[in-house]
């Protein structure tokens, strides 16, 4: 009798046929990410015990330097990817430039990984859900070290993307272009187990997520859309509820499950938006589209935006397809992009 638990490893092997060209390499790469996620999860769960472990930057009881969780997570993902041998370079939020992996075991590596190792940093020490976001491309050049065109690819060229959410439970959600599947970590066996097969984002919802502290500087289209969400209209079950966690992964995950829209538009402080295209917006846009949702910068599909630099930022409208479409209609009407 088939055991009712499917682990991430079993699932990846069962779905090996999803990517015929990859003879196991992508499977091994996803396995490497799962390993790093478990290690980071263990550390995240201790973050609240800072008085036992000591403040970051001090030495803990084992005489090890206590690192900021962003730095620790970054080191864990880069070392797991280096040891796995399938990744030739990593573009990380925590590193200014591309991190080349030149180890002997990685000399034939075919993949580039873009990663936000710790998303929602401002929530780390207040015990609110945080996450990791990853995006995987096949390299385009094959002479020596990876080059710009290997990691500045269009989001629609991603071969896989996913996130880990370290919340009331720890989940790994990913896609390879054949739908979205969610795995919940069972600490008793140390395995991610399939808990949310074939995830679908409701086409509409009653939640909107935006940091209204920036309201004054929002584009008029966003201001008008917020007013639409807040208007009283029983027929369309408005006003909607406002939910904003401040960790993109957690806000996205809730809207993916329940339906809703997350908007981080251009603001006075971040005229191009705050969120980064390569390792936040592209991977989450791939996932939300695979789950039937939608993602744009208010005008253009995120996955069609040509990246020009590693840490490039973009406005982000993401979530239930009908809600994103309506927000785009408000942007077209009240904040049209000049055609020039
Ligand atoms: P990171 O911690 O990786 O820098 O990401 C933080 C991002 C994102 O997680 C969240 O949606 C957004 O910052 C919140 O920004 P505000 O605090 O400006 O609302
Ligand atoms: Mn982030
Ligand atoms: Mn981060």
């Amino acid at each position: 009798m088939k055991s009712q638990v499917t682990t991430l490893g079993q699932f990846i092997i069962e779905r090996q046929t999803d990517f015929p060209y990859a003879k196991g390499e992508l499977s091994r790469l996803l396995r490497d990410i799962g390993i790093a996620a478990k290690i980071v999860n263990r550390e995240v769960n201790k973050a609240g015990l800072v008085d036992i472990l000591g403040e970051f930057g001090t030495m803990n009881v084992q005489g090890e330097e206590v690192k900021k969780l962003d730095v620790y997570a970054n080191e864990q993902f880069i070392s797991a990817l280096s040891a796995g041998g399938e990744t030739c370079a990593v573009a990380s939020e925590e590193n200014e430039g591309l991190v080349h992996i030149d180890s002997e075991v990685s000399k034939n590596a075919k993949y580039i990984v873009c990663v936000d190792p710790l998303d929602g940093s401002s929530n780390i020490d207040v015990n609110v859900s945080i996450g990791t976001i990853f995006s995987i491309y096949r390299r385009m050049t094959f002479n020596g070290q990876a080059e710009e065109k290997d990691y500045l690819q269009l989001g629609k060229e991603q071969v896989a993307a996913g996130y880990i959410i370290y919340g009331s439970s720890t989940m790994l959600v990913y896609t390879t272009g054949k739908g979205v599947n969610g795995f919940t970590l069972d600490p008793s066996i140390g395995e991610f187990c399939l808990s949310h097969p074939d995830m679908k984002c409701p086409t509409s919802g009653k939640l909107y997520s935006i940091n209204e502290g920036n309201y004054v500087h929002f584009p008029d289209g966003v201001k008008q859309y917020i007013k639409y969400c807040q208007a009283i209209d029983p027929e369309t079950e408005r006003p909607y509820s406002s939910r904003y966690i401040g960790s993109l992964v957690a806000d996205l995950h809730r809207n993916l499950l329940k339906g809703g829209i997350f908007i981080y538009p251009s603001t006075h402080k971040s005229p191009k938006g705050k969120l980064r295209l390569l390792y936040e917006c592209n991977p989450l846009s791939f996932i939300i589209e695979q789950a039937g949702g939608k993602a744009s910068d208010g005008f253009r599909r995120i996955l069609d935006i040509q990246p020009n630099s590693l840490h490039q930022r973009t406005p982000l409208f993401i979530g239930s397809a009908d809600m994103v479409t309506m927000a785009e209609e408000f942007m077209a009407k009240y904040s049209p992009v000049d055609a020039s």
Side-chain angles (χ1 to χ4, degrees):
M1 184 184 82
K2 184 176 179 320
S3 82
Q4 72 282 18
V5 168
T6 302
T7 66
L8 176 62
Q10 288 165 330
F11 186 86
I12 289 171
I13 290 165
E14 282 169 16
R15 302 292 286 266
Q16 181 65 54
T17 51
D18 279 0
F19 14 91
Y21 51 77
K23 295 171 294 303
E25 300 99 333
L26 188 55
S27 305
R28 284 191 292 274
L29 208 175
L30 290 167
R31 174 212 58 199
D32 301 339
I33 287 174
I35 292 166
K38 286 189 240 182
I39 295 170
V40 170
N41 176 66
R42 185 186 58 198
E43 211 59 24
V44 164
N45 288 343
K46 288 192 289 189
L49 304 176
V50 70
D51 51 339
I52 299 175
L53 298 172
E55 287 291 337
F56 294 126
T58 63
M59 287 302 188
N60 65 17
V61 288
Q62 289 85 7
E64 298 151 350
E65 184 210 349
V66 177
K67 292 190 174 73
K68 270 173 62 68
L69 218 46
D70 308 60
V71 173
Y72 177 82
N74 194 43
E75 288 172 355
Q76 292 309 318
F77 277 94
I78 291 176
S79 76
L81 293 170
S82 304
E86 305 302 341
T87 308
C88 66
V90 177
S92 168
E93 178 195 5
E94 302 299 325
N95 297 83
E96 188 51 40
L98 195 62
V99 177
H100 294 285
I101 296 175
D102 297 324
S103 57
E104 182 54 26
V105 70
S106 308
K107 64 179 189 307
N108 299 318
K110 294 191 179 70
Y111 294 100
I112 301 270
V113 177
C114 303
V115 66
D116 177 358
L118 216 296
D119 174 68
S121 313
S122 62
N123 282 325
I124 290 174
D125 48 9
V126 293
N127 231 358
V128 168
S129 300
I130 49 183
T132 297
I133 310 170
F134 62 90
S135 165
I136 302 171
Y137 292 92
R138 289 173 67 79
R139 66 177 298 178
M140 307 282 281
T141 68
F142 284 92
N143 42 3
Q145 287 196 330
E147 301 166 25
E148 262 202 6
K149 66 175 149 190
D150 290 314
Y151 64 87
L152 295 183
Q153 298 184 49
L154 291 171
K156 62 187 170 190
E157 300 302 330
Q158 291 174 93
V159 292
Y163 61 83
I164 297 103
I165 177 167
Y166 311 100
S168 43
S169 65
T170 294
M171 276 191 71
L172 186 150
V173 176
Y174 83 96
T175 183
T176 57
K178 305 264 186 190
V180 179
N181 291 284
F183 300 79
T184 300
L185 183 63
D186 178 342
S188 67
I189 57 170
E191 290 284 1
F192 281 103
C193 301
L194 183 63
S195 54
H196 296 66
D198 197 21
M199 296 172 79
K200 291 293 177 206
C201 180
T203 50
S204 197
K206 308 283 177 286
L207 297 172
Y208 72 100
S209 314
I210 190 166
N211 180 345
E212 297 195 47
N214 298 316
Y215 182 84
V216 169
H217 299 294
F218 284 160
D220 288 342
V222 171
K223 290 181 178 175
Q224 292 300 324
Y225 180 68
I226 291 173
K227 292 289 161 244
Y228 170 84
C229 293
Q230 295 171 340
I232 297 172
D233 176 31
E235 206 178 295
T236 53
E237 295 180 77
R238 284 181 289 148
Y240 297 154
S241 294
S242 170
R243 291 284 184 279
Y244 193 75
I245 298 171
S247 296
L248 172 58
V249 170
D251 280 315
L252 184 280
H253 184 70
R254 181 205 52 243
N255 291 351
L256 168 54
L257 291 175
K258 296 191 163 188
I261 184 170
F262 172 95
I263 303 176
Y264 205 110
S266 57
T267 64
H268 183 63
K269 204 168 134 216
S270 311
K272 292 229 180 302
K274 172 181 182 182
L275 301 174
R276 281 55 57 107
L277 179 59
L278 259 61
Y279 42 78
E280 289 175 315
C281 301
N282 270 338
L284 297 184
S285 299
F286 187 18
I287 287 172
I288 207 74
E289 285 196 2
Q290 283 290 311
K294 192 173 182 184
S296 77
D297 64 358
F299 303 98
R300 294 172 300 170
R301 181 182 179 227
I302 292 288
L303 298 183
D304 287 340
I305 295 176
Q306 175 56 57
N308 301 310
S309 66
L310 201 157
H311 301 288
Q312 174 174 337
R313 299 172 191 266
T314 174
L316 179 66
F317 295 60
I318 188 168
S320 295
D322 292 355
M323 298 179 85
V324 173
T325 299
M326 181 168 285
E328 289 169 340
E329 288 164 359
F330 276 87
M331 290 300 284
K333 184 172 179 187
Y334 296 101
S335 304
V337 182
D338 64 52
S340 58

